[in-house]
Amino acid sequence: EADIYQTPRYLVIGTGKKITLECSQTMGHDKMYWYQQDPGMELHLIHYSYGVNSTEKGDLSSESTVSRIRTEHFPLTLESARPSHTSQYLCASSDSTGVGQYFGPGTRLTVT
Amino acid sequence: AQSVSQHNHHVILSEAASLELGCNYSYGGTVNLFWYVQYPGQHLQLLLKYFSGDPLVKGIKGFEAEFIKSKFSFNLRKPSVQWSDTAEYFCAVSDYKLSFGAGTTVTVRA
């Protein structure tokens, strides 16, 4: 079934650890996005990709990095997690027209 | 769990017409409310938000929304649309988790 997946759903980790948040979609979408959302607040775009080997930073500055080696996979990495990174991270994808955006279930990250 | 209902799936109107998009949510507690817009080929952008205070909220590009607590509603309005307002509009509600409505596609004919 075509869908967008994120793992892990919840992660509690100590300061200084390296983490990778996984995002995969089986819809064949060219465009993928990472958003950050603090509880009760709006989404902020932190990274996006319009295709393989294409990545761009979003509206909100983030210390995370992303890669797009395969169309279906768009992982986000934090080299050294800090408490300020505690947030929810939402991955999304859309087709080449960009009409409609499908969201993953999100990863809720807590850095202690 | 919070549910967000947007009344219209697709709205088609002419330039200079007025636009109103309905949004209702299910949760009766304290929530923050948002309208997002996605223009063709672009990512989601925040149009406006309501946290507290004046229930009539002004956003970008001439949009406004009114929060009516008794009706659990947060309807989006624009008095006079332009062709460039053609986009998909999403209502979102956040208590601890952000929940989106299904979206309304707005097509403005020149």
Side-chain angles (χ1 to χ4, degrees):
Chain A
E1 183 181 332
D3 209 338
I4 180 164
Y5 305 93
Q6 286 186 247
T7 57
R9 293 290 308 277
Y10 302 92
L11 180 62
V12 180
I13 201 162
T15 298
K17 300 289 186 186
K18 177 180 178 178
I19 58 169
T20 297
L21 308 185
E22 300 289 347
C23 176
S24 294
Q25 49 96 4
T26 56
M27 294 175 280
H29 284 167
D30 292 323
K31 300 185 177 183
M32 296 188 75
Y33 313 83
W34 276 104
Y35 295 88
Q36 185 175 340
Q37 191 237 339
D38 294 324
M41 306 297 285
E42 66 268 37
L43 291 177
H44 292 284
L45 180 72
I46 51 175
H47 298 283
Y48 62 97
S49 166
Y50 285 172
V52 171
N53 294 326
S54 153
T55 61
E56 301 287 344
K57 290 191 179 294
D59 306 323
L60 180 68
S61 175
S62 173
E63 293 165 349
S64 58
T65 59
V66 291
S67 62
R68 189 91 184 275
I69 298 171
R70 303 198 315 266
T71 299
E72 62 271 22
H73 194 213
F74 190 41
L76 180 144
T77 298
L78 275 166
E79 290 293 331
S80 179
R82 294 207 299 269
S84 60
H85 296 139
T86 294
S87 190
Q88 172 154 269
Y89 293 84
L90 289 160
C91 181
S93 72
S94 61
D95 65 20
S96 57
T97 67
V99 175
Q101 208 164 92
Y102 295 84
F103 281 83
T107 294
R108 189 166 298 284
L109 173 66
T110 302
V111 183
T112 60
Chain B
Q2 186 70 256
S3 73
V4 183
S5 173
Q6 289 185 238
H7 306 161
N8 310 98
H9 182 61
H10 193 182
V11 172
I12 301 172
L13 40 151
S14 300
E15 278 193 311
S18 64
L19 172 69
E20 180 159 359
L21 302 182
C23 173
N24 286 90
Y25 61 95
S26 62
Y27 181 60
T30 301
V31 293
N32 296 331
L33 301 158
F34 310 89
W35 275 98
Y36 288 88
V37 61
Q38 188 186 10
Y39 297 104
Q42 298 186 28
H43 58 267
L44 279 180
Q45 299 171 45
L46 183 67
L47 262 184
L48 47 78
K49 60 187 177 186
Y50 173 81
F51 287 175
S52 64
D54 188 344
L56 186 61
V57 181
K58 303 266 185 211
I60 61 171
K61 305 186 182 189
F63 285 91
E64 64 180 30
E66 185 175 12
F67 170 53
I68 303 179
K69 189 174 182 179
S70 60
K71 294 184 179 179
F72 300 110
S73 71
F74 189 54
N75 293 352
L76 180 72
R77 297 194 291 254
K78 185 169 183 177
S80 176
V81 296
Q82 301 171 311
W83 176 82
S84 58
D85 293 322
T86 293
E88 191 155 13
Y89 294 81
F90 295 89
C91 179
V93 177
S94 184
D95 37 21
Y96 185 74
K97 181 180 180 298
L98 186 66
S99 300
F100 280 87
T104 298
T105 301
V106 173
T107 302
V108 180
R109 291 182 171 155

